[in-house]
Amino acid sequence: MAPRASAPLLVVLVALVAATGCASVRWEETRRDVVDPLNELVHSLYAKAFLARDVEALRRLHVPAEAASPELRARLVEDERLIEAFVQVERARSVIRDASRPDASGVATVLCHFRLDGVDAAGDRVTLTQDRRLRCGPGADGRWVIEDVELLDERRVARDRPAFTEEAVARGIAFRHRSRGAPARDGTTWKFYPGSGLALGDVDGDRIDDVLFVGGAELRLYRNRGDGTFEDITAAAGLVPPVGGEMRCATFADFDDDGDADLFVGVMDGANILWANDGAGRFEDVTAQSGLTATGETMGALVADFDLDGRLDLFVVNCDDLLQKDPEPIYDARNARENQLFLGRDGLRFRETTRTSGADRRGWSQAGSVADYDGDGDPDIFVACDFGFSALLRNRGDGTFEDVTEEAGVDLRTAGMSAAWGDVDGDGDLDLFEGGMRSNTVWIIDQAGFPLPGPSLLMPLIRPYVIETIKEMMYGNRFYRNRGDGTFEHATEAAGLITSDWAFSGVFLDYDNDGRLDIYSSTGFFSGPDHDDL
């Protein structure tokens, strides 16, 4: 017979197990009665009505006119005028940023980001973005409808012509990414998972940058003719891809200091490759004698003279295979392949100092960027990581590094995908932009019964902490303003940079030549069959 003292513990355990089971049942009801109807109403039908310029469809998504408040009727009139103002709607999006649980009357308050791209009556191309607050609830027939709409913010940009036009084929570049794919644990092959890359470099010594595309299963090198057109010289350059593996990234650099651009290519499920340039744009594979080793999960490479000896060094950004392995713990994963540091020697040879340099972090690294952020004359490294914390590595001046992530103030979790340095505010020091994923459905974790990762018996006790951690990870981009004293201020919201949706890569550029740095971010992802996926 169990001692009396254990009876309270037994009661607690039974209660926790019961609560876990009830939460599962409650989540199925919540998804059926709240989450799925809201997604259909706001994500799908609301946007489709604007895309089709269908006033009647838009009216059917709201409560009947006789039940609508004067404010709602006025908002509908404005939306109908908005539809009429567009001769053509090319894209319409309505994204739920946040949603409350339904109140006692079954109504949920939804913060919605709304966007229209199209052409107005004057023939100008227009982008309209709005933040809206919607009150939504089940209608008389059980179908969810919009009961009220409040406009919170609006921005409109009009152009009489596109800022950019697509001219790749006309200029001789006809590359399409081709992947061998990556195997998942269920036996399927994911063609889009490995990704691709490109590199710019003067391969033939004519002082004009040429373009290399990395396509997973192939490389394609285009020589810049100097008149704005290109020719494919891949075969002539000797760039024969490896038999196996998936090429992900490439970097041109004069590693042997002979005046021409050599080439490093990072590979998934295979060995990385180093090609030596003969000075005329023809390459030879010198990996075997280079001293470079591979983890099979390279995502990127950073080149700089980290130890200040006059020779270029190589920092290799490594991750792991999410299709075969789970990040653990998911809120601060440190079980990926370690990043690597190779210091340059004479010729195209390197000496690995990964373990002794402090560069051997094992986070799920996605990208990195080099800059002398503290102005002490040596190159430092920021590594953007998924599933937890990214890392700022301060160079001690000799090619060894100190992790100063926390003390510098760049220790906020995010699903980090990219990193870029730039003096955004013109104060003479470098600020940091970290591209991060912002889930369009992270709002559902606040809904009743949402299943969370973690020990099921303890979940009722640690649920608030887990929810806040996931929200932090799914926050979106991070922008850190350099204070000039080695620390940073988190200024993402003030800068208006929280979200570029499911961001993968962001770079600074002054695209409109006004002397101020702008940001371009590549985004997008496939929606899968898992309805609980954030």
Side-chain angles (χ1 to χ4, degrees):
M1 180 178 294
R4 290 178 182 269
S6 67
L9 176 60
L10 180 61
V11 171
V12 170
L13 290 176
V14 170
L16 289 175
V17 172
T20 302
C22 291
S24 177
V25 173
R26 186 163 66 249
W27 171 242
E28 291 303 317
E29 296 173 349
T30 300
R31 184 168 64 186
R32 181 194 65 212
D33 298 336
V34 178
V35 173
D36 290 348
L38 265 183
N39 272 324
E40 181 184 28
L41 173 64
V42 180
H43 277 311
S44 179
L45 298 178
Y46 200 44
K48 286 179 179 178
F50 284 94
L51 183 63
R53 301 178 65 246
D54 190 337
V55 171
E56 290 302 319
L58 183 64
R59 288 174 181 167
R60 289 194 297 270
L61 299 180
H62 295 74
V63 293
E66 60 271 16
S69 67
E71 292 78 13
L72 179 59
R73 289 197 295 269
R75 182 71 257 167
L76 272 171
V77 170
E78 290 301 314
D79 282 345
E80 290 171 8
R81 289 174 180 169
L82 178 61
I83 287 176
E84 293 171 357
F86 279 84
V87 174
Q88 178 186 2
V89 177
E90 298 171 340
R91 184 171 70 160
R93 297 187 62 216
S94 182
V95 176
I96 298 176
R97 294 297 191 215
D98 198 7
S100 68
R101 292 189 186 186
D103 60 21
S105 61
V107 175
T109 300
V110 177
L111 295 180
C112 165
H113 183 72
F114 178 78
R115 172 169 174 162
L116 291 179
D117 294 277
V119 179
D120 66 13
D124 292 336
R125 302 177 68 88
V126 176
T127 294
L128 173 74
T129 60
Q130 296 179 341
D131 289 320
R132 299 182 171 203
R133 180 181 288 118
L134 312 178
R135 282 176 52 83
C136 307
D141 59 358
R143 179 177 55 88
W144 275 58
V145 292
I146 299 169
E147 298 186 0
D148 193 18
V149 180
E150 180 185 358
L151 181 61
L152 303 177
D153 182 59
E154 176 178 294
R155 295 184 181 184
R156 183 187 298 261
V157 178
R159 292 186 179 275
D160 58 0
R161 61 183 178 82
F164 295 92
T165 56
E166 172 58 61
E167 298 182 359
V169 174
R171 293 180 179 271
I173 295 177
F175 174 79
R176 183 178 294 275
H177 174 72
R178 184 171 61 89
S179 172
R180 294 187 177 103
R185 279 172 282 195
D186 61 2
T188 60
T189 298
W190 289 29
K191 288 286 189 180
F192 59 86
Y193 175 75
S196 61
L198 65 85
L200 301 178
D202 176 14
V203 302
D204 53 4
D206 63 358
R207 299 186 179 181
I208 305 174
D209 278 342
D210 309 298
V211 183
L212 176 76
F213 289 91
V214 182
E218 67 175 328
L219 297 171
R220 193 76 63 83
L221 178 60
Y222 290 92
R223 187 181 74 85
N224 191 332
R225 294 190 177 104
D227 60 358
T229 65
F230 296 81
E231 63 175 318
D232 186 341
I233 62 167
T234 310
L239 293 177
V240 180
V243 174
E246 184 82 3
M247 292 177 291
R248 273 178 165 167
C249 62
T251 301
F252 284 114
D254 185 8
F255 289 110
D256 52 1
D257 198 26
D258 64 353
D260 53 44
D262 308 304
L263 176 63
F264 173 84
V265 174
V267 181
M268 172 187 179
D269 290 336
N272 297 330
I273 311 167
L274 182 65
W275 270 292
N277 191 333
D278 68 358
R282 183 167 180 84
F283 293 86
E284 176 188 1
D285 187 341
V286 295
T287 310
Q289 59 265 35
S290 69
L292 298 179
T293 59
T295 68
E297 286 294 338
T298 293
M299 299 291 290
L302 308 178
V303 177
D305 182 8
F306 292 113
D307 58 355
L308 306 181
D309 69 348
R311 292 182 289 249
L312 289 180
D313 310 309
L314 182 66
F315 181 91
V316 180
V317 180
N318 295 312
C319 191
D320 219 309
D321 189 350
L322 192 60
L323 301 182
Q324 298 288 343
K325 184 177 182 178
D326 294 326
E328 294 179 355
I330 194 169
Y331 54 85
D332 185 17
R334 302 292 181 98
N335 64 330
R337 313 291 175 91
E338 65 184 10
N339 297 322
Q340 298 167 291
L341 180 63
F342 298 93
L343 298 183
R345 301 166 64 190
D346 292 334
L348 281 164
R349 295 181 302 128
F350 296 85
R351 174 172 61 92
E352 183 170 2
T353 62
T354 300
R355 300 292 175 85
T356 58
S357 66
D360 57 338
R361 199 173 186 276
R362 299 177 67 91
W364 285 65
S365 306
Q366 300 292 323
S369 188
V370 171
D372 181 13
Y373 81 92
D374 52 2
D376 65 352
D378 52 47
D380 310 299
I381 297 173
F382 181 82
V383 182
C385 296
D386 201 357
F387 307 109
F389 299 100
S390 298
L392 179 60
L393 305 177
R394 187 181 66 82
N395 196 334
R396 296 188 178 99
D398 58 358
T400 65
F401 295 86
E402 176 186 5
D403 189 333
V404 295
T405 309
E406 186 174 356
E407 64 189 71
V410 294
D411 57 339
L412 295 171
R413 291 183 184 90
T414 193
M417 295 290 118
S418 67
W421 296 94
D423 184 6
V424 174
D425 50 10
D427 63 355
D429 49 42
L430 295 174
D431 309 302
L432 175 63
F433 175 78
E434 180 180 10
M437 295 177 174
R438 182 178 176 92
S439 171
N440 291 336
T441 54
V442 72
W443 59 273
I444 72 175
I445 70 174
D446 282 321
Q447 303 300 313
F450 181 78
L452 292 170
S456 58
L457 291 179
L458 295 179
M459 187 51 63
L461 300 178
I462 65 173
R463 184 180 182 88
Y465 172 77
V466 175
I467 286 177
E468 290 308 310
T469 299
I470 293 177
K471 285 183 176 181
E472 184 181 352
M473 291 173 62
M474 293 287 98
Y475 177 87
N477 303 320
R478 298 286 184 182
F479 174 64
Y480 298 101
R481 192 185 303 277
N482 195 329
R483 293 191 178 103
D485 61 358
T487 67
F488 294 81
E489 170 195 3
H490 182 230
T492 310
E493 293 187 41
L497 292 173
I498 290 179
T499 183
S500 45
D501 294 319
W502 209 256
F504 279 98
S505 181
V507 296
F508 285 111
L509 76 162
D510 179 12
Y511 92 97
D512 52 2
N513 295 316
D514 66 352
R516 296 187 294 267
L517 287 178
D518 311 299
I519 293 177
Y520 179 82
S521 179
S522 61
T523 70
F525 202 68
F526 289 91
S527 295
D530 185 354
H531 294 291
D532 298 340
D533 191 359
L534 294 177

